[in-house]
Amino acid sequence: MKKEVFLGEQKIVYYQKGKGSPFLIIHGWGGSASPRHNLKFQEILAKRGFRVLVISLPGFEESSLPTLKTNNDEITESILKFADKLNLKQFFIYGHCLGGLIAVKLVRLYPKRIKGIILCAVPSPFAVKISMKVGFLGLILFLLVAELSQLFFPPIYFFKRLRKWLREQFKFYKRRHGIMWRAWKRIMLKDFKETFLAIEKIKTPALIILGDKENFIIRKGVDFFKKIPGSVSKVILGANHSVQLDAPEKLVGEIVSFIKTIDSGK
């Protein structure tokens, strides 16, 4: 069910299904990202006994743009405010690609709120930060390499899909004088050292997932996040970068098994 909530002047649209333990899904970042890419995944997971919420981050779809009136990381703060508004005292969190970096930041800043974190196809934060040194064009190039295999297969109409993808990225990052680019810089650069240089200090149970057809850039990210103590990594057969679209049933199976180990205290 599609709903909306207001955090002061900020409108947040979200999708909710199911009853049970709260499970928050954070979609990827960029012109081709959409919370709706997670709706099939949400539906399957909700049937397994979870209250699944897919948040549309500020600036995506019908959620209002971030204001950036302060120097704070407004996007990450809005997710916590969203959880407070819906009275989610503790919850599981899932982040896909760049959305996974936001999920990691939430775990580092608010560890008592997160029962478990699932990182799906998440790149190394250091690789992302390096790409950003040449501005939003660097980040677009990074995302292009990360998603190229999805654009290429099947090869028919590749250039048509590529042009559309590039148009979406440029339109996204240039919205209202580049507000989404500036918002992403705050996500990545504010508290970067505290968030990512001490990844070994994370005590929250972590599941790391990628598809077996994933590219080398994302695989490097998996190696980085394996530093989280006690983390578990799984490979989903037959899946590319968008695991939630390619193999949602297998993804849910791995997540449910992971959460059962947390609940059983193993």
Side-chain angles (χ1 to χ4, degrees):
M1 181 182 294
K2 186 177 181 179
K3 297 185 176 185
E4 64 180 46
V5 66
F6 282 86
L7 312 174
E9 297 179 358
Q10 173 74 60
K11 183 176 82 169
I12 294 291
V13 172
Y14 67 100
Y15 301 83
Q16 178 174 285
K17 268 189 180 293
K19 296 180 180 179
S21 298
F23 189 103
L24 180 60
I25 294 175
I26 302 178
H27 59 78
W29 187 274
S32 59
S34 170
R36 287 176 294 172
H37 293 165
N38 294 283
L39 296 186
K40 181 64 176 178
F41 162 41
Q42 177 197 37
E43 180 181 355
I44 298 169
L45 184 59
K47 291 179 180 178
R48 302 296 293 271
F50 294 91
R51 178 190 177 192
V52 189
L53 304 114
V54 181
I55 184 173
S56 181
L57 296 175
F60 286 83
E61 295 198 346
E62 297 173 38
S63 292
S64 55
L65 285 165
T67 62
L68 304 188
K69 291 180 179 179
T70 70
N71 292 322
N72 296 337
D73 172 5
E74 189 175 323
I75 304 297
T76 302
E77 288 183 353
S78 70
I79 297 173
L80 187 68
K81 291 177 181 178
F82 171 80
D84 290 340
K85 190 80 171 182
L86 272 63
N87 198 30
L88 308 179
K89 298 187 183 301
Q90 279 194 314
F91 51 94
F92 296 99
I93 193 167
Y94 165 99
H96 178 259
C97 195
L98 297 184
L101 298 180
I102 301 174
V104 172
K105 193 168 186 179
L106 282 163
V107 167
R108 289 290 291 129
L109 296 176
Y110 312 103
K112 293 182 180 180
R113 301 291 298 273
I114 314 298
K115 295 178 67 176
I117 181 172
I118 297 94
L119 301 175
C120 184
V122 181
S124 164
F126 293 95
V128 175
K129 186 179 180 182
I130 290 172
S131 74
M132 293 171 62
K133 289 185 179 295
V134 292
F136 76 90
L137 291 176
L139 184 59
I140 288 176
L141 179 60
F142 179 89
L143 291 171
L144 176 60
V145 175
E147 298 185 31
L148 189 60
S149 57
Q150 291 194 144
L151 292 169
F152 188 76
F153 291 105
I156 188 171
Y157 302 131
F158 166 70
F159 289 106
K160 183 177 180 180
R161 291 195 301 271
L162 178 60
R163 284 195 299 270
K164 179 183 177 182
W165 186 91
L166 288 171
R167 282 197 302 268
E168 290 173 342
Q169 299 300 330
F170 277 91
K171 182 179 178 181
F172 174 79
Y173 285 108
K174 287 189 172 184
R175 288 184 71 186
R176 212 178 77 181
H177 308 294
I179 196 168
M180 298 305 288
W181 167 242
R182 287 184 281 127
W184 177 253
K185 286 199 294 184
R186 292 186 186 183
I187 292 170
M188 279 301 297
L189 304 181
K190 189 172 178 61
D191 307 312
F192 184 90
K193 182 183 294 185
E194 295 83 352
T195 302
F196 299 114
L197 288 184
I199 200 81
E200 295 88 351
K201 292 184 179 180
I202 292 179
K203 297 180 180 180
T204 304
L207 172 64
I208 305 162
I209 291 177
L210 81 161
D212 67 328
K213 298 179 181 178
E214 188 59 272
N215 65 78
F216 70 96
I217 287 183
I218 303 300
R219 289 181 182 276
K220 288 293 182 181
V222 170
D223 293 338
F224 174 79
F225 288 111
K226 282 181 180 179
K227 298 176 184 177
I228 299 175
S231 61
V232 178
S233 59
K234 297 290 183 178
V235 175
I236 305 293
L237 298 179
N240 207 314
H241 184 63
S242 296
V243 180
Q244 76 279 17
L245 293 174
D246 296 338
E249 294 87 357
K250 294 179 182 178
L251 175 60
V252 168
E254 293 293 355
I255 290 173
V256 171
S257 296
F258 167 69
I259 291 176
K260 283 181 178 179
T261 64
I262 297 175
D263 293 340
S264 65
K266 292 183 180 179

